[in-house]
Amino acid sequence: MPLRIEDYALIGNTRTAALVGRDGSIDWFCVPRFDSSACFAALLGTPENGRWLIAPRGKVIQTRRHYRDNTLVLETLFETASGVARVVDCMPLWEGRTDIIRVVEGVRGRVPMHMELVLRCGYGLVVPWVRRIDGALVATAGPDSFELRTPAPLHGKDFTTIAGFSVGAGERLSFGAVTLWFTPFSSRTYRSRRRHRHHRIRVAGMV
């Protein structure tokens, strides 16, 4: 069932923004600018149109969320029968690239978590070609490339990248220090009249 618009919070870096649902899913994200096409467009369709979900695997009893004081750093607390987990989302104001950072923290008990990454370029219409290069998961659709690095075990299912993990009280999993940035290739690195775009998601998972 689609979320109501009031169930979304906004994170951004002054150049673009992402909408994060109460269910832990980023359902809208244009990169690298507000007027660029979306790679997560589930807001206007279904999860198949692109989203990035990090949430508990089991039933969520209660969800609470807030911004840290005077920032757009979003904190979402998920309460389940086995414990409480926090997901922290933000987009740093780094020049020259666009990053989404998602950090999962254990607050109480132990909470099994689920990560689901559905990359769809062109407002959810283009399924990227996915392969492994130098230990990274790389998804490419035309001039757009996305790179996912993580020590966590990943597997693909139905054109979706999935990971399962858990966090206990006091543990912090940078699933995390996820960085997505935009770098146009210059003539010094790519000799072509055509400007290519490169987006990279880097996940440094550590407890």
Side-chain angles (χ1 to χ4, degrees):
M1 181 178 179
L3 295 178
R4 301 170 299 177
I5 193 64
E6 57 263 37
D7 289 328
Y8 286 97
L10 182 142
I11 58 174
N13 64 359
T14 74
R15 298 184 301 275
T16 189
L19 294 179
V20 188
R22 291 180 64 87
D23 58 355
S25 179
I26 297 179
D27 287 346
W28 184 257
F29 181 51
C30 297
V31 63
R33 302 180 306 271
F34 287 105
D35 60 349
S36 301
S37 65
C39 60
F40 300 142
L43 178 71
L44 301 182
T46 70
E48 290 302 311
N49 295 115
R51 72 167 181 174
W52 187 7
L53 173 72
I54 298 180
R57 277 205 301 267
K59 180 181 179 180
V60 176
I61 298 173
Q62 185 180 30
T63 303
R64 303 187 302 276
R65 62 196 330 205
H66 64 273
Y67 289 105
R68 290 182 180 175
D69 291 344
N70 301 314
T71 73
L72 279 181
V73 178
L74 177 68
E75 294 190 357
T76 303
L77 279 97
F78 295 104
E79 181 179 350
T80 71
S82 63
V84 177
R86 177 189 296 116
V87 177
V88 181
D89 294 311
C90 69
M91 294 178 64
L93 301 177
W94 292 337
E95 186 176 354
R97 69 191 202 201
T98 302
D99 296 15
I100 295 179
I101 295 179
R102 312 196 75 182
V103 180
V104 183
E105 300 173 337
V107 178
R108 187 179 73 242
R110 176 162 291 277
V111 182
M113 301 290 291
H114 176 72
M115 191 282 293
E116 180 179 297
L117 179 63
V118 184
L119 281 167
R120 298 291 185 266
C121 299
Y123 297 102
L125 298 177
V126 182
V127 179
W129 169 44
V130 179
R131 72 272 193 206
R132 293 201 179 258
I133 299 177
D134 296 330
L137 193 73
V138 179
T140 302
D144 298 306
S145 291
F146 301 82
E147 181 179 311
L148 176 64
R149 289 186 178 273
T150 177
L154 301 173
H155 68 276
K157 181 180 179 181
D158 298 329
F159 303 104
T160 300
T161 300
I162 297 171
F165 59 100
S166 65
V167 288
E171 295 178 349
R172 186 173 185 267
L173 183 65
S174 296
F175 210 153
V178 177
T179 311
L180 187 150
W181 69 84
F182 167 85
T183 307
F185 286 91
S186 67
S187 58
R188 289 176 296 176
T189 58
Y190 188 84
R191 294 185 179 277
S192 173
R193 294 181 180 179
R194 184 179 181 184
R195 291 179 68 85
H196 282 232
R197 289 177 291 180
H198 182 78
H199 313 276
R200 178 172 296 170
I201 298 176
R202 179 173 296 169
V203 184
M206 61 180 181
V207 176

